[in-house]
Amino acid sequence: MFGFAETPEWQQAAQEDVLIADVVFNLPLERPYSYAIPEPLRGRVQAGQRVLAPLGRSNRSVVGYCVGVRASEKGQRALKPISELLDGEPLLDPSMLELTRWIGERYLCGWGQVLDSVIPAGVRRKSGTREINAISLAEGSETEEVLKAPRLTRQQKSVLEILLKEARPLPAAELCERAGCGPGPVNTLRKRGLIVAERVRTEVAAAEQRDVEAQEDLLMNEQQVKALDQILRPIRVSEYETLLLHGVTGSGKTEVYIRAIREVVSYGRQAIVLVPEISLTPQTIRRFRSRFASVAVLHSHMTDAERHWQWQQIASGDIQVVVGARSAVFAPTPHLGLIVIDEEHEPSFKQDSTPRYHAREVARRRCQDEKVPLILGSATPTLESWLRAQRRLDTLVSMPNRVAGRPLPPVVIVDTRSDPRLARGFSLGRAMFTAIGSALKAKGQVILFLNLRGYSPVVWCRSCGTGLKCPNCDISMTWHRDKAAIVCHSCDYSTSPPPQCPSCQSPAIRFLGTGTQKLDEEVQKSFPEARVLRMDSDSMKKPGSHDEALDRFRRGEVDILLGTQMIAKGLDFPNVTLVGVIDADTMLRQPDLRAAERTFQLIAQVAGRTGRGERGGRVLVQTSKPDDPAVKFASKHDFLGFAQHELAERHDALAPPFTAVARVIFRGPDEQRTRQTAIAVAEKLKAARQGELQSLRVLGAAPAPVVRLRNLWRFHLQIVGKTHELVRELWTTVEKTLTLPEDVELAVDVDPMNAR
Ligand code: ADP
Ligand code: ZN
Ligand code: ZN
């Protein structure tokens, strides 16, 4: 690969018994590059450390990860040497290193890309200080007004904008990095008194821990005891086994996790609990903190220094339980004993950028390697997990009943096509309106779910029928009345609504449909005496506001909680007697393989928010498709029926979980060139299907469902096969031969969850 005209000095020395380091870079490359380890670094370079090494024709020094050290083979060509060793100790142990290699292979991306994403920036940067300089806006400068201060440079302005947006103190280093500036602008702003800096201790986690009161174990019921027995078996013999804990909402799955973790901790081992980011609420955390002496929580909004500190604590073995979102699957526990994934059906366990891994599959692999069990918990398992359990690849553990014999709430389907109130433009149909009234009268609380934020999701010209789309994306603009702006929910582009239709110049622009803001308004008008709280990403911008809102609801200071997904997740409120789904159609309409599955999950999960107390509860679902199987099965709480029905459909469609899929997305500023590239690659793939690969299907190339996003055109193709190995073989064979135009980039998404 590297040819040299002259023979440099190091090359001569490199002839006899040289040690070689295999190095990977943050690039989509399949194989490691080999380098000679120069004399001064001998005995010091280890797998898992970062190095600087010359790369490519220019011989630019690039940071890479050493993934192996070995003796050179006889007759091997002399190699370029590593230029510098960056770490004293490996950042990862050999088994984690192997896990990252596997991720690159399984998800068709570079090993170095995986390492770069898995190792927290703070760990790489060694920001080990326990005190950091945190910058926040000075008192009196906390509003947009501050941007009007005289003589602000562009960078100063950008610093202020970031602080306004985040509304929390930011470490100086992070702030500068995000604003793309050095310390200068920050210092100037400080001198002008617009911002303040303070030294902050980062040992937040330890402080929080002390506030939680220890709690006794609950007395488990028979169903929980039986489930735990099944889980303890592989724990006791240190064996890998995946257990699918299928327990209806409110069946007491958490207590089972806790007991299983207790067993693991008693052996001096650690457990990792993965929860969806949005469920990382104080309520969840308290449940674990009250039962274990040392719990580490990995939030996505931790600073680099905090993350580094946590990483070290975990690696030292002092932590018993790690609770965190997706990336906590990489927590460097020295003696892992168990991984639990709660709400395993949540799409957020799949990463949406390279490496596009699914935490469940990574956890499965890690548990296999480390010979420990994996528990997947859900009331609505994914069909992937369900099929594995059906095929006895994994063990099914069932908890079909709620604790204390509480029934699941009755679910009533309301047909929106014949509702007189909906016909008059309201969003609360007659049944919904009446049910809210009676729930409030009986002093019960109400949750209303609507999956669209903003005021109106459609901006439409009544004269010519044109819907207004974002200029950068192929996506409808949403009217946000509070900001008097139309906003693109994909790229955040926002502008005032045009006085005239851009196509026909008619002034007849109308806002159609209902988002959470409009629903909020209608609910307040309809029930003026009720205290209403809206929860969506617009109203919950400030960190902590989400938790605060849930606390207020729990304390009974709010009667009606309405919002998006945010309120559908694992919350336990005994006083909720009514849950309303305002529009189940929004999910069903998605052009997505999993639309039915998501609709079922959503209804079952929101239904799980009620009937948890002694007062019982019920669920109303408004839909124009009352006969849709997903809606019907959900209304009967019939997961098994739904799974059977949907699996049959997927089987007939040769779709996952019966097949493995890799989606290849092409992006570029030029429509024609992007399209042509996608088509050419699809043709190459089709032509390369020889021998065993003949069974593979290549679908497309075709425009992606969102054909333009952030000013880039998007085309995609899909490789569908019986196994991931076959799909990988076809892709890697063809990928090697590809040369893309400079302005077209491609992304590979294995097991895609996002159909955009
Ligand atoms: P799931 O996660 O399965 O939806 P949770 O673990 O949240 O259910 O449990 C639901 C509620 O039941 C919680 O308030 C929990 O404290 C309570 N609970 C769980 N197990 C028991 C038990 N054995 N006895 C009494 N209450 C229990
Ligand atoms: Zn028009
Ligand atoms: Zn946009």
Side-chain angles (χ1 to χ4, degrees), residues 461 463-464 466 501 503-504:
C461 167
S463 294
C464 71
T466 305
C501 168
S503 314
C504 75

Side-chain angles (χ1 to χ4, degrees), residues 538-717:
D538 297 311
S539 67
M540 298 288 136
K541 276 226 166 80
K542 266 200 198 156
S545 53
H546 178 227
D547 302 331
E548 194 191 305
L550 294 179
D551 276 343
R552 283 179 55 202
F553 190 60
R554 188 171 301 112
R555 287 199 299 267
E557 293 166 23
V558 170
D559 303 306
I560 303 178
L561 180 67
L562 66 89
T564 52
Q565 278 99 310
M566 272 190 187
I567 60 175
K569 301 291 141 69
L571 306 170
D572 188 2
F573 302 116
N575 201 34
V576 173
T577 57
L578 175 69
V579 169
V581 176
I582 301 299
D583 186 4
D585 300 4
T586 53
M587 308 290 279
L588 278 173
R589 268 198 303 263
Q590 306 281 328
D592 189 321
L593 167 74
R594 293 182 177 80
E597 190 179 352
R598 298 252 162 85
T599 305
F600 181 90
Q601 286 166 356
L602 175 79
I603 297 176
Q605 293 293 339
V606 294
R609 301 310 120 224
T610 185
R612 285 182 167 246
E614 267 135 42
R615 310 179 49 185
R618 63 185 182 129
V619 182
L620 254 60
V621 178
Q622 299 190 148
T623 176
S624 67
K625 297 193 178 92
D627 294 323
D628 187 276
V631 174
K632 277 187 124 159
F633 284 117
S635 72
K636 288 182 274 176
H637 302 289
D638 184 4
F639 175 77
L640 271 61
F642 171 74
Q644 202 173 19
H645 168 86
E646 183 66 15
L647 279 174
E649 304 256 303
R650 302 272 187 94
H651 188 266
D652 292 347
L654 302 175
F658 296 97
T659 49
V661 175
R663 179 178 182 225
V664 186
I665 306 148
F666 300 82
R667 278 186 302 236
D670 185 277
E671 180 180 6
Q672 274 318 313
R673 210 159 30 245
T674 313
R675 182 201 306 274
Q676 292 310 331
T677 309
I679 291 172
V681 174
E683 290 311 316
K684 272 197 161 175
L685 284 165
K686 284 172 189 166
R689 288 174 302 174
Q690 308 281 333
E692 241 204 321
L693 302 180
Q694 271 168 13
S695 64
L696 292 166
R697 291 185 300 153
V698 177
L699 311 178
V706 176
V707 71
R708 236 160 74 88
L709 196 62
R710 294 170 193 269
N711 269 325
L712 295 176
W713 292 92
R714 304 167 79 245
F715 293 83
H716 71 164
L717 62 85

